[in-house]
Amino acid sequence: MNEAAPQPDDDFETARKQATRARWALNALVGLSALASALFFAYVLTRVAPRGKAEPPEVNVPTSAVAKTVGLLQGESGGLFVELRDLDEAPSYREAWSDRLRTDLGIAAKGRLYRLLVRNDGKEKAAFAGTLSARDGSGTEWPVRWLKDVADATAGSDLGRMALAQAEPRFELAPGESRQLDVFVQSRGETLPPSAEDFASGSMALESGPLLALQHTRTQVAQK
């Protein structure tokens, strides 16, 4: 004897139950999604503005207006051009950068760092070596010292060791070649040496060749 065929009412009831289960499953997914979104939003709020915590202090970056021209020392002899200038045109920044670099180099003495440019404008290879000094407006002489004579690589940072490696004071330059290196002038007691802008003159005693005189010069600041 054949089984009786399913009744239409049974089919409708089955479909209704399946639809109900699907609706409950969808509602559960929507609820879980809303809960996850709320938790994520709360997490972001606690990270961006933690409750009960003060706002972080502002970072003070030293800045200052740069004049249209800057002062420096320049001189040339036998095709060898020498220029002594500050680390940066902006006074406030140059002070902060000099102090930071002095620490990175492991220089214990107080003083100021400067940038020395040497360029060979001649037609032959030129050797550079010697002693350098600068004088302020009152005639006081400030010996310029090479970093190898004042820096302590073991007490400095990686940045300082890199600067020290690039500041070798004896080198040769091919025609048209130039090199920049940092140099140091030590304070006299508590008196900090003047900026390069305030040096009146200077001299470079080369091991080979005549004395190279440096004169105070004002030059236009490159517009960035």
Side-chain angles (χ1 to χ4, degrees), residues 65-71 85 89-91 197 218-223:
V66 178
K68 292 183 179 180
T69 62
V70 294
R85 65 190 306 158
E89 289 86 3
E197 285 194 308
R218 296 203 69 85
T219 186
Q220 190 79 20
V221 176
Q223 298 298 317

Side-chain angles (χ1 to χ4, degrees), residues 132-136 138-144 185-186 188 199 203:
L132 177 64
S133 66
R135 285 174 291 279
D136 60 24
S138 65
T140 301
E141 187 163 348
W142 297 87
V144 179
V185 175
Q186 187 171 337
R188 292 179 177 273
F199 280 137
S203 59

Side-chain angles (χ1 to χ4, degrees), residues 6-221:
Q7 298 299 316
D9 289 344
D10 294 339
D11 293 342
F12 175 78
E13 184 65 21
T14 300
R16 187 183 67 79
K17 290 180 180 180
Q18 291 177 345
T20 300
R21 285 194 295 268
R23 187 168 61 252
W24 278 107
L26 180 61
N27 290 340
L29 288 175
V30 171
L32 289 174
S33 177
L35 178 61
S37 298
L39 291 175
F40 177 74
F41 183 66
Y43 172 80
V44 171
L45 284 179
T46 58
R47 291 299 178 183
V48 174
R51 182 176 300 177
K53 293 186 178 180
E55 292 294 326
E58 295 183 358
V59 178
N60 182 22
V61 179
T63 58
S64 89
V66 178
K68 292 183 179 180
T69 62
V70 294
L72 41 82
L73 297 180
Q74 287 182 342
E76 188 271 337
S77 177
L80 192 64
F81 174 83
V82 175
E83 177 184 275
L84 182 69
R85 65 190 306 158
D86 291 304
L87 291 179
D88 195 88
E89 289 86 3
S92 296
Y93 180 78
R94 91 171 58 120
E95 299 289 343
W97 178 234
S98 178
D99 285 340
R100 168 63 189 275
L101 189 54
R102 183 171 61 86
T103 301
D104 286 335
L105 286 163
I107 300 176
K110 294 182 179 180
R112 191 195 296 265
L113 285 148
Y114 304 82
R115 187 138 296 155
L116 180 68
L117 168 68
V118 184
R119 186 177 67 238
N120 182 9
D121 292 335
K123 297 181 179 180
E124 303 291 336
K125 181 181 291 187
F128 178 82
T131 57
L132 177 64
S133 66
R135 285 174 291 279
D136 60 24
S138 65
T140 301
E141 187 163 348
W142 297 87
V144 179
R145 306 182 66 184
W146 309 116
L147 293 188
K148 72 178 185 65
D149 297 329
V150 293
D152 182 1
T154 61
S157 67
D158 291 339
L159 175 64
R161 283 186 283 274
M162 182 176 67
L164 182 59
Q166 295 173 346
E168 175 57 45
R170 303 176 70 92
F171 50 84
E172 288 187 342
L173 295 175
E177 189 178 6
S178 64
R179 182 172 299 187
Q180 289 190 72
L181 59 153
D182 294 336
V183 293
F184 179 73
V185 175
Q186 187 171 337
S187 297
R188 292 179 177 273
E190 296 299 321
T191 303
L192 190 71
S195 67
E197 285 194 308
D198 297 323
F199 280 137
S201 61
S203 59
M204 177 80 205
L206 298 170
E207 290 185 0
S208 59
L211 184 71
L212 194 157
L214 302 177
Q215 302 298 329
H216 180 84
T217 307
R218 296 203 69 85
T219 186
Q220 190 79 20
V221 176

